[in-house]
Amino acid sequence: ALGEVYEGIDPSVIETWPKDGVVDPAAYKDAAAAFKPGDLAIIFTPDDTHYDIAMACIERGLHVMITKPPVKSLKQHLELVEAAKKHNVLCVAELHKRFDPIYLDARDRIRSLGPFSYFWAYMSQPKSQLDTFKAWAGKSSDISYYLNSHHIDYHEWCLHGKARPVRVTAHSSTGVAKEKLDGVETEDTITIVVDWKNFEDGSVGHGVYTSSWVAAKADVHSQQRWFYMGQKGEVTVDQAHRGYTVAQDGVPFASVNPLFWKPTPSEGRFAAQRTYGYISFEETVDAVAQVNSGKKSAADYDGLLPTIGTIAGTTAILEAGRRSLDAGGRPFELLYEGDGRFETPIGMRPQA
């Protein structure tokens, strides 16, 4: 238990809705009602439940932080954008890779590498994870929504104001997940291919984003790596391997990354406060405090945090990818109101 691992933490003070051992899909309504406007709701539930929970919290006047993907459709995403504006609350997605010091530095360098040319990203989890996810995997969401959301958001953030996604196609592999999930029809691996149009010279680049939950057990829980090419340079990052390995009797060899999270206690106490997995939450909590004090508005955090109004492109790509798969790999065009550099998609349509 948590209290047995870290000194000074007492899990008994935690109140839950519903009570432990009870299943109630509508319990979020009682939870939202138990808090007052200005409080912060952090939503980490299956993907297809995010919208209803977030909307209930926003209408209650709560600020909201939602795990990625915040929702599965652009329509619901844009509805949350409008609701957050109406109730003057902060609505943020938990996208911790934006706070990884290597990703952050890479993003700053990418901004000076000229128009975008090519990007690929790969992220996986071991097939044993399907046992953990059995209640929802392939039913309420797929592996692309779950993992591709990370690097699609990161890439979109890198290109903010420099290029925008215009066309989406998706491909998949099958065979393992269906067997492990007792016949549930879902993909093992999903690749989304996106064409991007550069504002600077009108040229086109393309990004390839692959995620899988049928990887073999390895030295890391999740393989994560990517390559970026601009017209004036390139960047390569292996997020899973930071040059730090641990070998211990009775424990599998591991490449560890305490920059993301540090579960190992320090003198018996929790000591992960400076990891980017923690900072992602801390920055949102600090922002909520500033908004509640009147020193800042929710809109002031557009561009500083992954606010719901600035990340619609990621949701649009993920939905278009899902729709492409369901249509046998048919391309989908993303639609915009105009040609502004900072516009986000408002819709999508299939191409011939």
Side-chain angles (χ1 to χ4, degrees), residues 211-267:
S211 59
S212 178
W213 48 17
V214 299
K217 188 174 182 180
D219 59 326
V220 294
H221 179 69
S222 176
Q223 299 286 356
Q224 304 179 35
R225 48 189 177 268
W226 57 266
F227 170 83
Y228 178 96
M229 178 184 288
Q231 293 184 11
K232 297 181 180 179
E234 60 188 48
V235 179
T236 302
V237 172
D238 183 350
Q239 192 273 349
H241 300 90
R242 302 298 177 100
Y244 180 25
T245 61
V246 176
Q248 183 179 354
D249 289 345
V251 178
F253 177 80
S255 294
V256 295
N257 179 18
L259 296 178
F260 166 57
W261 195 248
K262 185 185 182 308
T264 308
S266 290
E267 305 300 332

Side-chain angles (χ1 to χ4, degrees), residues 3-274:
E4 296 173 349
V5 177
Y6 303 111
E7 294 179 8
I9 295 180
D10 180 10
S12 69
V13 303
I14 298 173
E15 187 174 357
T16 64
W17 293 268
K19 297 295 184 182
D20 290 347
V22 177
V23 176
D24 180 6
Y28 66 88
K29 298 176 182 178
D30 293 332
F35 292 85
K36 64 181 185 300
D39 287 341
L40 171 62
I42 298 175
I43 301 169
F44 273 69
T45 57
D47 295 349
D48 61 344
T49 66
H50 294 174
Y51 175 79
D52 289 340
I53 299 173
M55 189 62 79
C57 291
I58 289 172
E59 292 177 345
R60 171 69 174 160
L62 304 179
H63 303 283
V64 171
M65 183 185 207
I66 317 171
T67 187
K68 51 74 200 164
V71 288
K72 294 173 60 184
S73 75
L74 182 59
K75 179 180 182 294
Q76 289 186 339
H77 191 116
L78 297 178
E79 288 174 356
L80 287 183
V81 172
E82 292 307 311
K85 288 180 181 177
K86 177 182 177 180
H87 294 278
N88 194 30
V89 297
L90 194 63
C91 183
V92 174
E94 199 287 300
L95 291 159
H96 50 259
K97 293 193 182 304
R98 292 192 179 201
F99 300 93
D100 181 333
I102 292 177
Y103 276 51
L104 180 58
D105 184 73
R107 192 254 184 183
D108 292 340
R109 294 174 187 270
I110 284 170
R111 302 287 291 177
S112 65
L113 296 182
F116 165 61
S117 182
Y118 172 66
F119 180 89
W120 71 259
Y122 172 72
M123 190 169 181
S124 71
Q125 291 198 344
K127 57 178 65 74
S128 59
Q129 196 76 357
L130 287 169
D131 296 326
T132 304
F133 295 157
K134 204 163 192 174
W136 62 265
K139 303 172 185 175
S140 66
S141 194
D142 61 36
I143 187 56
S144 182
Y145 277 112
Y146 183 62
L147 287 186
N148 270 336
S149 49
H150 276 297
H151 286 114
I152 290 174
D153 169 75
Y154 176 72
H155 188 207
E156 189 194 25
W157 183 47
C158 289
L159 297 182
H160 185 63
K162 292 175 65 65
R164 71 182 185 185
V166 294
R167 184 174 183 268
V168 180
T169 309
H171 308 272
S172 67
S173 302
T174 61
V176 177
K178 180 178 179 179
E179 181 178 349
K180 287 190 68 67
L181 296 173
D182 300 328
V184 173
E185 294 287 349
T186 192
E187 299 83 4
D188 296 349
T189 303
I190 294 175
T191 295
I192 294 180
V193 181
V194 180
D195 293 337
W196 294 75
K197 185 175 181 179
N198 291 300
F199 288 111
E200 181 178 335
D201 61 0
S203 61
V204 174
H206 72 284
V208 181
Y209 319 88
T210 298
S211 59
S212 178
W213 48 17
V214 299
K217 188 174 182 180
D219 59 326
V220 294
H221 179 69
S222 176
Q223 299 286 356
Q224 304 179 35
R225 48 189 177 268
W226 57 266
F227 170 83
Y228 178 96
M229 178 184 288
Q231 293 184 11
K232 297 181 180 179
E234 60 188 48
V235 179
T236 302
V237 172
D238 183 350
Q239 192 273 349
H241 300 90
R242 302 298 177 100
Y244 180 25
T245 61
V246 176
Q248 183 179 354
D249 289 345
V251 178
F253 177 80
S255 294
V256 295
N257 179 18
L259 296 178
F260 166 57
W261 195 248
K262 185 185 182 308
T264 308
S266 290
E267 305 300 332
R269 293 187 173 273
F270 176 76
Q273 289 88 342
R274 302 320 302 157

